[in-house]
Amino acid sequence: AKLGDREGAEAASGLPRVVLAGAHNAGKSTLFNALLGRKRAVVSPVAGTTRDAIEEELNLSRDLPGAGAVSLVDSAGLDEVEAREGRGAVGMLAQDAAAGAMASADVVLHCDPTGRFPALATRGVVIRVRTKADQPGGSSGGVGIDGRKGVSVCALDGWNLGVLRRAIAESASAGAGAAEGLED
């Protein structure tokens, strides 16, 4: 199996797969840790710190009656096409793992601190997440624009994490087919 494939113990769980995706330093690992309520992923200001897809079970039953658990996946930051070639073999493997994680996602949390969301290639439901909402300079109009799901969060102080957890639970429960219009 290729790095990032959905085969193995994680896929055997049968849980809906929720993947955090976005550019380097978009706040994915910090958000991953905040949603889990513990430090699981390494967080660093250095671009490219996350190389492998890290997967953990996230129980959402407290957030939405009838909701269960999902498999939450932190993935490597996505490069612009021009930058991929400069990353070397390990960087290319990280990009392949991120692409594989998104391809197998039921729900993608598209993370961007600016609130501007470039197109993503994914089959899953997309929830647009303006990360780092405590920092100035983000676009408030980019989240949830044209009827698509979106939420601004601050993973450091927990602002709006409950709203995001409910959106994840609703999207995972509804299934990808119920929200095809939410894809990028």
Side-chain angles (χ1 to χ4, degrees), residues 13-70:
S13 71
L15 297 176
R17 203 157 195 243
V18 178
V19 175
L20 288 95
H24 295 280
N25 291 345
K28 297 178 302 296
S29 295
T30 302
L31 181 57
F32 180 79
N33 289 341
L35 288 169
L36 291 175
R38 63 187 175 92
K39 292 184 180 181
R40 172 63 175 88
V42 174
V43 175
S44 169
V46 177
T49 299
T50 303
R51 298 293 185 118
D52 294 325
I54 302 169
E55 195 158 348
E56 288 286 330
E57 186 173 313
L58 174 64
N59 186 342
L60 298 169
S61 61
R62 298 175 309 172
D63 303 287
L64 185 70
V70 298

Side-chain angles (χ1 to χ4, degrees), residues 61-86:
S61 61
R62 298 175 309 172
D63 303 287
L64 185 70
V70 298
S71 184
L72 187 66
V73 182
D74 185 22
S75 64
L78 301 172
D79 285 332
E80 296 291 327
V81 174
E82 306 81 41
R84 286 186 185 150
E85 287 148 22

